[in-house]
Amino acid sequence: MILPILQYPDARLKRKAVPVEAITPEIRTLAADMVETMYARDGIGLAAPQVGESIHLIVVDVSGPEKREDLRILINPVLELSGPEVESEEGCLSVNDFRSTLYRSLRVRCRATSLEGEPIEFDADEILAICLQHECDHLEGKLFIDHISTLKRMMYDKRIAKHGK
Ligand code: K2U
Ligand code: ZN
């Protein structure tokens, strides 16, 4: 089922999510719905808080909605950042009509749990590393606009206040 995606400045996007304690049928259904929603919205990642569930669950597929060749469903993901910081131009399915550049680590090591309850560990760089950092920020209640300059943020907030999007 395609789920509605919360839009900034919805306060629920600022909540710190909580770890998944048990992989229940409801968690499996939510993960499947998040995957469907991500592809339907041409995204390459989606975090549970964006669909109103403040738990540590993200889905990513940097091969994109056309190919759907690299789907990763990550429960309780933890990132270890490494490598230099690189400039990243980002948008967000929860931040309408806005893109900005910020800095992200070029490489990450990700540890998580699969839907089957198995440990997952992999290294990532480039767009997968950026996407993982973007999604894990959502679990902390952070959006990419929290990393940009105050001036850029003020300009976006002013546009939202005036036009609602
Ligand atoms: O969390 C989200 O809002 C999903 C983002 C993830 C993302 C944003 C910026 C950079 C990497 C990942 C959406 O996928 S935004 C749409 C998009 C699509 C392709 C490439 C970059 C961004
Ligand atoms: Zn986002």
Side-chain angles (χ1 to χ4, degrees):
M1 176 174 79
I2 294 176
L3 302 169
I5 294 178
L6 300 182
Q7 293 300 305
Y8 175 84
D10 192 309
R12 289 171 289 179
L13 290 167
K14 295 186 70 64
R15 283 184 195 155
K16 277 179 78 66
V18 297
V20 170
E21 301 295 343
I23 302 171
T24 62
E26 292 75 20
I27 292 287
R28 292 176 192 286
T29 302
L30 174 61
D33 289 348
M34 286 171 62
V35 170
E36 190 180 347
T37 303
M38 172 182 70
Y39 287 140
R41 297 291 306 276
D42 289 333
I44 57 171
L46 194 65
Q50 292 181 272
V51 293
E53 297 292 337
S54 293
I55 58 171
H56 285 189
L57 170 61
I58 66 173
V59 297
V60 299
D61 185 344
V62 294
S63 72
E66 294 76 28
K67 292 185 180 167
R68 305 190 182 193
E69 290 169 349
D70 188 18
L71 176 61
R72 300 164 196 247
I73 298 174
L74 303 172
I75 296 170
N76 298 333
V78 176
L79 300 184
E80 199 181 304
L81 308 185
S82 67
E85 290 213 329
V86 289
E87 206 169 57
S88 166
E89 194 201 355
E90 300 190 10
C92 179
L93 295 175
S94 296
V95 181
N96 246 339
D97 299 329
F98 185 69
R99 295 179 79 86
S100 187
T101 51
L102 56 151
Y103 288 90
R104 297 285 192 188
S105 294
L106 185 60
R107 272 185 293 282
V108 301
R109 168 159 292 185
C110 179
R111 292 182 176 86
T113 302
S114 71
L115 268 186
E116 294 69 39
E118 297 297 320
I120 302 174
E121 182 170 344
F122 60 93
D123 293 318
D125 58 12
E126 314 246 326
I127 186 70
L128 180 55
I130 286 170
C131 186
L132 288 168
Q133 291 170 79
H134 181 108
E135 301 313 330
C136 287
D137 265 1
H138 278 296
L139 305 184
E140 296 304 311
K142 281 176 25 186
L143 300 174
F144 79 99
I145 55 175
D146 295 326
H147 296 282
I148 64 176
S149 72
T150 309
L151 178 62
K152 278 187 186 174
R153 175 65 176 271
M154 277 168 50
M155 287 165 66
Y156 182 67
D157 284 340
K158 200 170 169 187
R159 190 173 96 196
I160 287 286
K162 192 170 176 190
H163 302 294
K165 76 175 189 75

